[in-house]
Amino acid sequence: MKANITVLPGDGTGPEVTAAAVEVLRVVATRHGHDFHFDEQLIGGCAIDAHGDPLPPATLASCKQADAVLLGAVGGPKWSDPSAKVRPEQGLLGLRAALGVYANLRPVRVHPQLHALSPLKNEKLHGVDLLFVRELTGGAYFGAKTRSADTATDECKYTVAEIERAARRAFEFARARRKHVTHVDKANVLETSRLWRATVERVAKDYPDVKLEHQLVDSMAMLLLTRPASYDVIVTENLFGDILTDEAAALAGSLGLLPSASLGDGKVGLYEPIHGSAPDIAGKGLANPLGTILSAALLLRYSLGLDAEAREIEAAVDAVIERDVLTRDLGGSANTKEATEAVVQQLQTGRARAAA
Ligand code: NAD
Ligand code: IPM
Ligand code: MN
């Protein structure tokens, strides 16, 4: 199949991890006879440096005509002055809004070999298999902001339509999984949460085969650590989803392992690891590429319909973890390139074995 993929390396370790994922996608394309065309564009801090704009028109145009977008990360100390008018993160938020990708899927699986890396006791980690559906284009991230000398506000606004489309995605995914949706909110305090609760309950009526429960976000933060295996699909608003998924990454062993897929009703999906630009390790070859490589697998599955190829990448990543080719965040000594080459080699030998 032919596909146009826009690649946005971004800042910090972004270029290192996207190069790894593109290499893996090229190997998959060659082995399966696909024709992937990659168009690399600027976003975030590097785009501010080059054009004074974190989301230049050429970048947006490329993303809009693409079948899928693969992003590294944006931001870093160079652009973090609190008084700056233009920030790298505005580029990412602008892109999510422009593509209309309101449902951010963040799967969390825990590889048995990495149990020891989690701060939790091993027995709590057995069977952890979560899918977060984080609403991505609404809430406090996109509300009106005000600032005076001694006051600041961030409006948190949600409409029924915004809540409903995210909730439907969660129930649809739950149907194909363990049929359990946990909706996370702060309905004891926030009016937006009460609208979420009412809307999610109404949507749930269309999915009588799926069990729905509600949890308040403060207690959910605790439950994720005390009984993470009890949950299946977790649906929540933008800000809560941001925080809870970084927390959930600790279950998996490292932030560097978690992928994400952002989907809307349009054809273009946005794929990025959940971690940031990791400026503390940028340029040192230390970044774990697996979260971005797994994001490339999600790209194949959700934007290109290539589920078998996606599974091959996921199996190769599992095998590399089993072979103990681990980057420093996972307690190993492999660099980004070595971990990537191990995945590539696994794809090649794994398939050769299957064909033999
Ligand atoms: P971060 O996720 O960049 O890093 C947090 C910690 O995790 C650091 O110690 C880092 O070294 C480590 N880490 C992250 N990814 C790793 C990887 N692949 N391999 C090994 N270790 C990894 O979060 P931060 O330091 O709070 O934020 C840095 C910048 O990134 C900020 O400007 C922030 O806005 C931005 N950010 C961007 C995105 C994105 O573009 N999607 C996401 C999160 C943060
Ligand atoms: C993420 C990041 C972003 C977010 C920032 C960089 C805007 O933390 O993708 O999780 O908060 O959505
Ligand atoms: Mn985040």
Side-chain angles (χ1 to χ4, degrees), residues 84-218:
K85 282 268 169 293
V86 187
R87 307 178 62 86
E89 290 78 4
Q90 291 164 345
L92 178 57
L93 298 182
L95 179 63
R96 290 171 177 171
L99 296 179
V101 287
Y102 58 82
N104 179 224
L105 312 182
R106 295 185 164 191
V108 183
R109 288 185 309 141
V110 184
H111 195 292
Q113 182 134 338
L114 300 179
H115 279 184
L117 292 176
S118 166
L120 299 194
K121 292 196 188 77
N122 281 4
E123 70 259 21
K124 292 204 187 288
L125 296 166
H126 289 296
V128 172
D129 179 7
L130 305 169
L131 177 65
F132 283 87
V133 178
R134 168 191 177 197
E135 198 292 324
L136 199 64
T137 52
Y141 278 67
F142 291 91
K145 296 177 189 303
T146 69
R147 176 75 182 265
S148 63
D150 62 357
T151 308
T153 66
D154 294 279
E155 182 190 34
C156 179
K157 181 173 157 192
Y158 270 110
T159 65
V160 167
E162 287 173 320
I163 299 166
E164 180 163 344
R165 62 189 184 178
R168 284 201 186 278
R169 281 289 169 103
F171 281 98
E172 293 292 337
F173 279 105
R175 240 182 199 170
R177 292 171 49 98
R178 300 195 306 283
K179 300 185 170 49
H180 178 193
V181 168
T182 305
H183 163 243
V184 177
D185 65 18
K186 186 75 185 169
N188 52 345
V189 176
L190 301 177
E191 204 53 53
T192 41
S193 285
R194 291 190 276 270
L195 187 64
W196 266 84
R197 214 171 255 224
T199 306
V200 169
E201 283 190 4
R202 186 168 49 72
V203 170
K205 293 204 172 72
D206 293 340
Y207 302 85
D209 50 323
V210 178
K211 179 183 152 210
L212 169 67
E213 73 174 306
H214 302 281
Q215 286 293 348
L216 296 171
V217 63
D218 46 356

Side-chain angles (χ1 to χ4, degrees), residues 13 17 71-77 80 87-89 92 96 106 242 246 254-257 272-281 286-292 327-329:
T13 55
V17 293
L71 183 135
V74 299
S80 291
R87 307 178 62 86
E89 290 78 4
L92 178 57
R96 290 171 177 171
R106 295 185 164 191
D242 179 44
D246 266 34
S254 167
L255 197 51
L257 282 173
E272 45 176 318
I274 84 155
H275 64 74
S277 59
D280 50 334
I281 56 168
L286 292 174
N288 185 342
L290 298 182
T292 316
T327 43
R328 201 177 64 170
D329 54 313

